[in-house]
Amino acid sequence: MKKTVFSLAALASLAFAAPTAYNYEVTPTIGGVQPEGNLDLKEQLTYGLRFGINLDNTIFDQFELGYDRSDNVDYKIGHDSTDFNRYYGNLVKEYKMSPEMALYALVGIGYEDVKNEQFENRDSMFAQYGGGVKYWVTDNFALKAEVRHGIKFHGGDNNLFYTLGFVVPFDAKTAPVVAAKPEVKPAPVVAPAAPKDSDGDGVYDDKDKCPNTPKGTVVDADGCTKIIRLHVKFDFDKSTVKSEFMPEIQKVADFMKQNPGYNVVLEGHTDSKGSDAYNMKLSDQRAKAVAKALESLGVSGAKVTTEAFGESKPVATNDTDAGRAENRRVDAIFKK
C-alpha cells in the first residue's frame, strides 16, 4: 500500500508544472487512525487523495475535497473486520512562517461509510478540525504533516487522524505583464520653432521620453519619473535594515540633501510568495524601515512618506529566483 501511494506522488511530480503561485494542488496521503470512545476498533492504516483549490480575497486560503480509505480494520471483539470510506471537504487557513514553510488550520465536514456495521460503528456524517505544517522541498513538491480530530454525528464517538501528504501544485497563475514605456513619435517639423515642454517637467518635448508626467514629479534627463531602486534584503519576518545596505539608502539621502525642495515617497514591494495580506503588511513594514533609516541619515521625516504595494507591481517574472529577487525592493519616487 505504501509503495502505491509513493508511486502516485512520483508520477504526479512528473505530470504537472510546479509554479510558485498556482491555482490547484493534488495531495496523495498516507497515515493512521486512532479510534476513540466506544467504537471497539483497532488502530488502522489509512490512505487517500485530496484536491485543493486556492482561494483569493477570502478569509480562507484553500478549499479541499478529500477521500480516505481504511481496509480490513479488525474489531477488538470477535474476528470480524470492516472497511471504511471517508469523504469530506475542508476550509484551510495558512499562516506563512517563511517562503518555504507555513502552518495551517482546517475545519470541515464529511461522511463515513462503514462496510460491516457493528457495535457503535454506523454510516454517519462527521465534523472535523485540525492543523499541520506544509514545507516546500522544491518549487514543485511539498510535504504536509497533519493531525485531525473527527467527531461522528452518530453516537458522538471520535477518530484521531494523523497523515503525511505529498503536495503537487499545478495551473500556474499568470504574472501581470509590465507595461512598456510608450514610444513617442516626434511630430513633423513644419518650421523652426522654440522648444516646447508640454508637461512642464523641465525636459523639452523633443527629448522627453515620458510625456505627460504628473505635475510636481521629479524626472530624470529623459523626462521619466526619477526612481532610485533599493534592493535592501531583510531577514525572514524582519524589517530591520542591515548596516551593509545603508550605502544604498545613502544614495537617496545624498540626492535629498542636494535637492532640499524635494520630497520622497518610498514604495515597498514583495515577490508573490505568501498571501496578498501578508505581502501587503510586509511591504509596508519594510518601506517604513527604510524611511527610518533615511531619517537617521539626516533627512527630515516630514519629507518622507511610504506606500505599500505588496506583490501587485512586479518588475520581473515571479517564476524564477532571479525574478523574485528583482521584485523584492523599495523604490524611491521624488516629488517637488
Side-chain angles (χ1 to χ4, degrees), residues 232-236 238-249 289-290 293:
V232 178
K233 297 181 181 179
F234 297 84
D235 289 333
F236 165 67
K238 300 293 183 182
S239 57
T240 303
V241 177
K242 296 181 180 180
S243 59
E244 63 197 83
F245 298 111
M246 290 300 291
E248 285 283 310
I249 300 173
V290 174

Short mmCIF file of all heavy atoms in Angstrom, two decimals, residues 232-236 238-249 289-290 293:
data_model
loop_
_atom_site.label_atom_id
_atom_site.label_comp_id
_atom_site.label_asym_id
_atom_site.label_seq_id
_atom_site.Cartn_x
_atom_site.Cartn_y
_atom_site.Cartn_z
N VAL A 232 17.25 46.30 -0.87
CA VAL A 232 17.62 46.07 0.52
C VAL A 232 17.05 44.72 0.95
O VAL A 232 15.85 44.49 0.85
CB VAL A 232 17.08 47.19 1.43
CG1 VAL A 232 17.43 46.92 2.89
CG2 VAL A 232 17.63 48.53 0.99
N LYS A 233 17.90 43.79 1.39
CA LYS A 233 17.45 42.46 1.79
C LYS A 233 17.21 42.43 3.31
O LYS A 233 17.95 43.00 4.08
CB LYS A 233 18.47 41.40 1.40
CG LYS A 233 18.68 41.30 -0.10
CD LYS A 233 19.67 40.22 -0.45
CE LYS A 233 19.88 40.14 -1.97
NZ LYS A 233 20.87 39.11 -2.34
N PHE A 234 16.14 41.71 3.70
CA PHE A 234 15.77 41.62 5.10
C PHE A 234 15.79 40.16 5.54
O PHE A 234 15.56 39.25 4.74
CB PHE A 234 14.36 42.17 5.31
CG PHE A 234 14.22 43.64 5.00
CD1 PHE A 234 14.01 44.07 3.69
CD2 PHE A 234 14.32 44.59 5.99
CE1 PHE A 234 13.86 45.41 3.40
CE2 PHE A 234 14.17 45.94 5.70
CZ PHE A 234 13.95 46.34 4.41
N ASP A 235 16.03 39.93 6.84
CA ASP A 235 15.86 38.60 7.41
C ASP A 235 14.39 38.24 7.41
O ASP A 235 13.50 39.11 7.36
CB ASP A 235 16.39 38.55 8.85
CG ASP A 235 17.92 38.63 8.90
OD1 ASP A 235 18.56 38.23 7.90
OD2 ASP A 235 18.44 39.09 9.92
N PHE A 236 14.07 36.92 7.49
CA PHE A 236 12.69 36.46 7.46
C PHE A 236 11.88 37.14 8.57
O PHE A 236 12.26 37.18 9.73
CB PHE A 236 12.62 34.94 7.64
CG PHE A 236 11.23 34.47 7.99
CD1 PHE A 236 10.22 34.59 7.06
CD2 PHE A 236 10.95 33.97 9.24
CE1 PHE A 236 8.94 34.17 7.36
CE2 PHE A 236 9.67 33.56 9.56
CZ PHE A 236 8.68 33.66 8.62
N LYS A 238 11.38 40.04 9.33
CA LYS A 238 12.00 41.18 9.99
C LYS A 238 11.94 42.39 9.06
O LYS A 238 11.84 42.27 7.85
CB LYS A 238 13.46 40.89 10.35
CG LYS A 238 13.66 39.70 11.28
CD LYS A 238 13.10 39.95 12.66
CE LYS A 238 13.38 38.77 13.57
NZ LYS A 238 12.79 38.97 14.92
N SER A 239 11.99 43.58 9.69
CA SER A 239 12.00 44.80 8.90
C SER A 239 13.15 45.71 9.31
O SER A 239 13.12 46.90 9.10
CB SER A 239 10.66 45.54 9.04
OG SER A 239 10.39 45.81 10.39
N THR A 240 14.18 45.11 9.93
CA THR A 240 15.35 45.87 10.34
C THR A 240 16.33 45.98 9.17
O THR A 240 16.67 44.98 8.54
CB THR A 240 16.05 45.18 11.53
OG1 THR A 240 15.11 45.04 12.60
CG2 THR A 240 17.23 46.00 12.00
N VAL A 241 16.77 47.20 8.88
CA VAL A 241 17.72 47.41 7.78
C VAL A 241 19.13 47.09 8.27
O VAL A 241 19.60 47.65 9.26
CB VAL A 241 17.64 48.86 7.29
CG1 VAL A 241 18.68 49.10 6.19
CG2 VAL A 241 16.25 49.18 6.78
N LYS A 242 19.80 46.17 7.60
CA LYS A 242 21.17 45.81 7.98
C LYS A 242 22.15 46.90 7.54
O LYS A 242 21.93 47.60 6.54
CB LYS A 242 21.55 44.48 7.31
CG LYS A 242 20.72 43.30 7.77
CD LYS A 242 21.19 42.03 7.07
CE LYS A 242 20.39 40.83 7.50
NZ LYS A 242 20.84 39.60 6.83
N SER A 243 23.24 47.02 8.29
CA SER A 243 24.22 48.07 8.02
C SER A 243 24.84 47.94 6.63
O SER A 243 25.22 48.94 6.02
CB SER A 243 25.33 48.03 9.08
OG SER A 243 25.98 46.76 9.09
N GLU A 244 24.91 46.72 6.10
CA GLU A 244 25.54 46.51 4.79
C GLU A 244 24.75 47.15 3.65
O GLU A 244 25.28 47.35 2.55
CB GLU A 244 25.72 45.02 4.53
CG GLU A 244 24.41 44.25 4.45
CD GLU A 244 24.61 42.76 4.62
OE1 GLU A 244 24.69 42.31 5.78
OE2 GLU A 244 24.67 42.07 3.59
N PHE A 245 23.45 47.47 3.91
CA PHE A 245 22.63 48.06 2.86
C PHE A 245 22.48 49.58 3.03
O PHE A 245 21.79 50.23 2.24
CB PHE A 245 21.25 47.41 2.82
CG PHE A 245 21.30 45.95 2.51
CD1 PHE A 245 20.99 45.00 3.46
CD2 PHE A 245 21.69 45.52 1.25
CE1 PHE A 245 21.06 43.66 3.18
CE2 PHE A 245 21.76 44.16 0.96
CZ PHE A 245 21.45 43.23 1.94
N MET A 246 23.10 50.14 4.06
CA MET A 246 22.98 51.57 4.28
C MET A 246 23.57 52.40 3.13
O MET A 246 23.06 53.48 2.82
CB MET A 246 23.64 51.95 5.60
CG MET A 246 22.87 51.46 6.83
SD MET A 246 21.18 52.12 6.91
CE MET A 246 21.52 53.84 7.26
N PRO A 247 24.67 51.94 2.45
CA PRO A 247 25.15 52.73 1.29
C PRO A 247 24.10 52.92 0.21
O PRO A 247 24.07 53.96 -0.45
CB PRO A 247 26.34 51.89 0.78
CG PRO A 247 26.84 51.16 2.00
CD PRO A 247 25.61 50.84 2.79
N GLU A 248 23.20 51.92 0.02
CA GLU A 248 22.11 52.07 -0.95
C GLU A 248 21.19 53.22 -0.54
O GLU A 248 20.77 54.04 -1.36
CB GLU A 248 21.31 50.76 -1.04
CG GLU A 248 21.98 49.64 -1.79
CD GLU A 248 21.91 49.85 -3.29
OE1 GLU A 248 20.83 50.11 -3.83
OE2 GLU A 248 22.99 49.78 -3.90
N ILE A 249 20.86 53.25 0.75
CA ILE A 249 19.94 54.28 1.26
C ILE A 249 20.64 55.64 1.29
O ILE A 249 20.01 56.68 1.13
CB ILE A 249 19.44 53.87 2.66
CG1 ILE A 249 18.70 52.51 2.56
CG2 ILE A 249 18.51 54.91 3.25
CD1 ILE A 249 18.30 51.91 3.89
N ALA A 289 10.78 50.94 7.41
CA ALA A 289 12.13 50.73 7.94
C ALA A 289 13.15 51.56 7.16
O ALA A 289 14.07 52.15 7.73
CB ALA A 289 12.49 49.25 7.88
N VAL A 290 12.99 51.62 5.84
CA VAL A 290 13.90 52.43 5.03
C VAL A 290 13.68 53.91 5.34
O VAL A 290 14.64 54.70 5.37
CB VAL A 290 13.68 52.14 3.53
CG1 VAL A 290 14.51 53.08 2.67
CG2 VAL A 290 14.06 50.69 3.22
N ALA A 293 15.56 54.71 8.38
CA ALA A 293 16.99 54.77 8.09
C ALA A 293 17.35 56.10 7.43
O ALA A 293 18.40 56.68 7.71
CB ALA A 293 17.39 53.60 7.20
#
